[in-house]
């Protein structure tokens, strides 16, 4: 993949270029030190990927992206985590904090490979506040200083914790400030099912179904979690799953 590094700090560009030498599938074809130069090189070179700083003299990285007719995949590289929320609005694959750690860079490159395997176009991160979320949407999750861009179909479980919800994907279980009821209104019911008062499960990530107490069901998810389906919801579940 052809990549451009856009950052006003020469040392930061040099260090990132050095780290990318461990990934021969990524070819750094150009660098830019500001937004204006970045737009020009993107339009001339048409890269697959850009590594983009946010705070630069003159225009920010977000300003630069707004000037593009079609943005390539974006991996942010910045010293400030508070800008992560704005990444909802752009085509961002990942958000790396400076100094960039080799492990986090490797994780970001792995996302590129996963996306190629899925044979999809660039995934656009969306806000959990959007009306209805599709399983192909990629959502932004922030818990303290940790940030993720997660494909909705990879989330196997939402668990109510007061006014928060715990989000289960991979080995991660971050908390988001969103109630389970608010999430239920925005999730596609063909994919996500309200099993009981505390849990919404991804129907596609159920590994096992067993009879349970008082006519209910017990679901075992692919992550190993065991979730009880209430008796009332069991009737709806069986109709949906044709059991």
């Amino acid at each position: 993949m052809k990549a451009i590094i856009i950052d006003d700090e020469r040392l930061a560009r040099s260090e990132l270029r050095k780290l990318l030498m461990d990934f021969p599938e990524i070819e750094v074809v150009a660098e830019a030190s500001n937004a204006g130069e970045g737009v020009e090189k993107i339009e001339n070179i048409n890269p697959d990927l850009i590594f983009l700083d946010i705070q630069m003299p003159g225009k920010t990285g977000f300003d630069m992206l707004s000037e593009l007719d079609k943005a390539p995949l974006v991996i942010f590289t910045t010293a400030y985590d508070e800008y992560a929320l704005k990444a909802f609005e752009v085509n961002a694959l990942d958000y790396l904090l400076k100094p960039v750690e080799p492990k986090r860079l490797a994780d970001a490159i792995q996302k590129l490979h996963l996306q190629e395997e899925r044979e999809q176009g660039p995934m656009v991160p969306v806000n959990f506040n959007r009306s209805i979320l599709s399983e192909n949407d990629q959502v932004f999750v922030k818990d303290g200083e940790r940030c993720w861009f997660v494909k909705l179909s990879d989330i196997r479980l939402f668990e109510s914790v007061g006014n928060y919800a715990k989000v289960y994907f991979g080995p991660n279980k971050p908390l988001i400030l969103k109630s389970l009821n608010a999430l239920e209104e925005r999730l596609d019911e063909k994919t996500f099912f309200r099993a009981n008062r505390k849990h919404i499960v991804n129907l596609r990530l159920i590994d096992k179904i067993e009879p349970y107490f008082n006519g209910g069901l017990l679901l075992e998810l692919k992550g190993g979690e065991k979730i009880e389906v209430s008796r009332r919801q069991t009737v709806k579940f069986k109709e949906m799953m044709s059991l």
Side-chain angles (χ1 to χ4, degrees):
M1 301 183 72
K2 294 186 298 182
I4 296 178
I5 299 173
I6 304 171
D7 195 312
D8 64 307
E9 298 178 6
R10 181 181 60 80
L11 289 178
R13 298 197 305 271
S14 177
E15 181 61 25
L16 181 55
R17 182 185 279 268
K18 188 183 301 181
L19 290 173
L20 286 168
M21 290 177 67
D22 289 336
F23 304 94
E25 65 271 38
I26 306 297
E27 179 188 7
V28 179
V29 293
E31 296 181 7
S33 60
N34 56 62
E37 188 179 348
V39 169
E40 181 180 350
K41 294 199 173 181
I42 289 171
E43 290 178 345
N44 290 336
I45 298 172
N46 191 27
D48 305 296
L49 171 69
I50 58 175
F51 292 89
L52 179 63
D53 190 15
I54 293 177
Q55 280 200 333
M56 295 182 289
K59 297 178 180 179
T60 68
F62 291 113
D63 294 333
M64 191 207 78
L65 291 175
S66 69
E67 296 180 7
L68 298 173
D69 292 330
K70 182 180 179 182
L73 286 170
V74 179
I75 295 178
F76 284 118
T77 58
T78 177
Y80 306 95
D81 68 348
E82 65 264 29
Y83 292 107
L85 293 176
K86 288 189 178 181
F88 288 142
E89 304 168 6
V90 299
N91 182 14
L93 183 71
D94 211 333
Y95 191 97
L96 306 181
L97 292 176
K98 295 179 183 176
V100 176
E101 298 177 358
K103 173 64 169 61
R104 282 291 292 114
L105 180 59
D107 290 343
I109 301 303
Q110 178 64 19
K111 290 181 181 179
L112 285 173
H113 295 312
L114 291 174
Q115 187 160 311
E116 287 177 344
E117 290 173 7
R118 290 168 178 152
E119 296 182 348
Q120 295 178 348
M123 292 186 291
V124 182
V126 298
N127 192 322
F128 269 118
N129 291 323
R130 209 184 72 177
S131 56
I132 295 295
L133 295 169
S134 161
E135 64 175 326
N136 291 319
D137 281 332
Q138 190 184 33
V139 293
F140 175 80
V141 178
K142 185 175 189 295
D143 184 6
E145 295 184 355
R146 302 188 67 190
C147 306
W148 298 265
F149 289 108
V150 189
K151 192 175 180 186
L152 199 62
S153 60
D154 291 334
I155 296 175
R156 62 184 179 273
L157 176 67
F158 293 95
E159 180 178 30
S160 176
V161 185
N163 291 325
Y164 291 77
K166 187 178 290 187
V167 186
Y168 289 70
F169 55 94
N172 306 296
K173 304 174 186 177
L175 281 172
I176 61 172
L177 182 54
K178 185 72 64 176
S179 72
L180 212 62
N181 287 339
L183 285 169
E184 185 179 16
E185 291 176 359
R186 292 168 172 82
L187 295 170
D188 186 349
E189 63 179 9
K190 294 178 182 177
T191 304
F192 289 92
F193 178 75
R194 184 70 176 262
N196 54 54
R197 292 178 61 187
K198 291 195 62 176
H199 299 102
I200 295 175
V201 301
N202 186 334
L203 294 171
R204 304 183 192 280
L205 295 180
I206 295 172
D207 199 38
K208 189 185 299 183
I209 305 171
E210 298 178 352
Y212 199 57
F213 182 72
N214 268 351
L217 293 171
L218 187 67
L219 309 179
E220 183 172 338
L221 306 184
K222 291 189 181 297
E225 299 84 7
K226 294 186 176 182
I227 306 299
E228 179 185 353
V229 182
S230 68
R231 185 169 57 181
R232 183 169 64 178
Q233 289 299 89
T234 291
V235 175
K236 183 178 179 181
F237 181 84
K238 287 182 176 180
E239 290 175 352
M240 291 179 63
M241 304 298 286
S242 299
L243 295 177

